[in-house]
Amino acid sequence: MFYAQNNFLEFARTLASGAGELIRERLYAHKDLKIKTKSSPTDLVTEIDREVEEWIAERIKETYPEHGMLGEEGTEREGSSAGGSIYRWIVDPIDGTTNFIHQRINFCISIALYHGDEGVVGVVYDPIRNEMFWASRGEGAFLNGEKLDIREKKELMESLVGTNLIWLRRTRKLGLLDHVYTIARRSRGIRALGAAALEMAYVAAGRIDAFLSLKLSPWDFAAAKLLVEEAGGVVRSFTGDAVPIAPPEHGLIAARTSLLPELMDILNEERTSDVAANDKETH
Ligand code: IPD
Ligand code: CA
Ligand code: CA
C-alpha cells in the first residue's frame, strides 16, 4: 500500500473513532436532544450532528489543509490541486439521524477520502456496537480487522435485500412499487434499517445481499461504496451505470455482483406511475 494511502486510512479511522466517542458522550449526558427539521418534516438534524461535523472538519483542516471537504451539515471547502485531482473528504457526521433520535442505535459516522472521482479510503463506524468497517483502494474491506469478501455467488431467492423504497412517494412516481414487491417475493425478504451508509456496509459484510435506494447524497454513500467494491461487490445506478460521487442525489443498487443482472431486469420491467399530483405524503 502507498505510504500516503496508509496514513489517510489511519487518520480516517482515528477521526471516526474520536467522533464516535464524542457522540456517545453527548448521547449518554441525558440531556434532551435539540431537534430541528431541514428540507421536510422528516428530514431531521440535532445539535450533535453539527457539533460532530465541525469537530471532524477542524481536524481535517489541521492535518490536511490542502484537502477539500464536503459535509452534510454544510461544510464545503474547495481544496487545492497539486498538479492532478483534488483530494476531498466526504463526511456524514451521523447517518441515520432519525434512528439516532428515536432508537439511539442503528446510526453511523461515514468518512471517505476521494481523489477526483476515485475513492481512496472509506470508513463507516457504528459507535454503539463499536463496529468499524473500513476500506482502502486496492487493499480490501474489513470489519474490526476481519477481511470482508462477498464474491461468493448467490441467487436472489436465497438473498436478503435492504431498501426503504416501499413507502417512498418517489418509488410510486417512477412506477417502481410493483417492482419492489417482485423483489420481495423473489428473495428471502426485505429489510429497512434507515441508515444508508450502514446498510451498504452491511452489504459489504454479507449481512444483507443487496441494498436499493433512490435518493442518496454523496455523504450517504461515498465511504460505503468503496467498502462494497473492495469486498468484491458492485455499486451501480438502476440502469447499470457507474454512480458518480458528485452532488446532488443518486439512486443506486449496492449488491453482490451475481445479483445485479436479476435486480436490474426486475427494475427495468415496464413501469406505471400512480402518484396523485396533490398528495400530502411526508416521504
Ligand atoms: C438519511 C439516511 C436514510 C436515507 C436518507 C438519508 P441522514 O441520512 O441514510 O436511510 O434513506 O436518504 O438522507 O439524514 O440520517 O444522515
Ligand atoms: Ca445520511
Ligand atoms: Ca446525516
Side-chain angles (χ1 to χ4, degrees):
M1 189 191 302
F2 294 120
Y3 179 66
Q5 192 168 319
N6 211 351
N7 285 353
F8 293 148
L9 177 63
E10 261 333 290
F11 175 70
R13 287 172 29 171
T14 308
L15 266 188
S17 121
E21 212 174 303
L22 182 60
I23 293 173
R24 283 193 303 263
E25 242 175 66
R26 295 290 181 269
L27 203 54
Y28 300 144
H30 298 297
K31 283 197 217 137
D32 286 340
L33 294 174
K34 291 191 189 77
I35 304 162
K36 288 191 177 156
T37 57
K38 295 196 284 185
S39 61
S40 73
T42 54
D43 185 10
L44 308 179
V45 65
T46 70
E47 79 277 18
I48 304 178
D49 298 61
R50 294 194 166 127
E51 185 187 356
V52 174
E53 180 161 314
E54 270 167 37
W55 185 90
I56 292 172
E58 268 170 36
R59 266 136 205 95
I60 291 175
K61 198 171 166 190
E62 262 165 35
T63 313
Y64 298 112
E66 70 286 12
H67 288 188
M69 178 174 160
L70 176 67
E72 172 167 20
E73 304 312 334
T75 314
E76 212 169 338
R77 262 201 314 261
E78 270 296 313
S80 50
S81 91
S85 302
I86 292 170
Y87 279 104
R88 190 166 60 136
W89 294 86
I90 304 178
V91 174
D92 193 339
I94 300 181
D95 180 58
T97 296
T98 307
N99 292 346
F100 173 69
I101 293 165
H102 285 261
Q103 307 178 325
R104 306 195 164 212
I105 195 166
N106 296 325
F107 61 88
C108 64
I109 299 144
S110 173
I111 301 175
L113 175 66
Y114 272 68
H115 188 229
D117 287 335
E118 188 168 79
V120 180
V121 299
V123 177
V124 170
Y125 180 48
D126 174 343
I128 303 301
R129 298 184 176 92
N130 193 23
E131 287 190 326
M132 193 174 294
F133 303 82
W134 73 84
S136 180
R137 161 106 11 228
E139 299 297 323
F142 299 83
L143 163 54
N144 288 351
E146 192 181 316
K147 190 150 195 199
L148 303 176
D149 187 348
I150 51 167
R151 266 166 273 255
E152 194 191 334
K153 202 170 169 234
K154 267 197 179 184
E155 304 290 335
L156 187 55
M157 66 185 175
E158 48 178 355
S159 299
L160 206 50
V161 178
T163 189
N164 60 355
L165 287 182
I166 288 179
W167 58 86
L168 295 184
R169 182 181 192 271
R170 182 177 285 227
T171 309
R172 287 170 38 227
K173 197 171 165 199
L174 293 172
L176 273 169
L177 190 58
D178 283 345
H179 306 62
V180 183
Y181 287 141
T182 305
I183 291 171
R185 279 197 310 271
R186 291 201 201 154
S187 64
R188 278 198 182 146
I190 299 262
R191 297 290 182 270
L193 192 64
L198 203 55
E199 288 166 291
M200 286 175 69
Y202 284 5
V203 171
R207 293 178 181 175
I208 50 176
D209 302 293
F211 172 69
L212 278 75
S213 185
L214 266 176
K215 206 182 150 201
L216 294 183
S217 301
W219 44 79
D220 297 316
F221 69 88
K225 178 176 187 283
L226 190 61
L227 280 168
V228 172
E229 290 169 348
E230 284 295 322
V234 279
V235 178
R236 293 287 160 77
S237 73
F238 282 15
T239 48
D241 300 311
V243 181
I245 201 66
E249 294 163 336
H250 305 280
L252 61 76
I253 307 172
R256 275 179 196 269
T257 308
S258 61
L259 292 177
L260 189 67
E262 190 171 352
L263 288 172
M264 277 182 46
D265 281 353
I266 297 172
L267 291 169
N268 289 302
E269 279 164 15
E270 201 184 332
R271 302 177 185 180
T272 335
S273 175
D274 69 347
V275 170
N278 60 348
D279 80 28
K280 291 201 176 99
E281 295 171 15
T282 54
H283 292 278

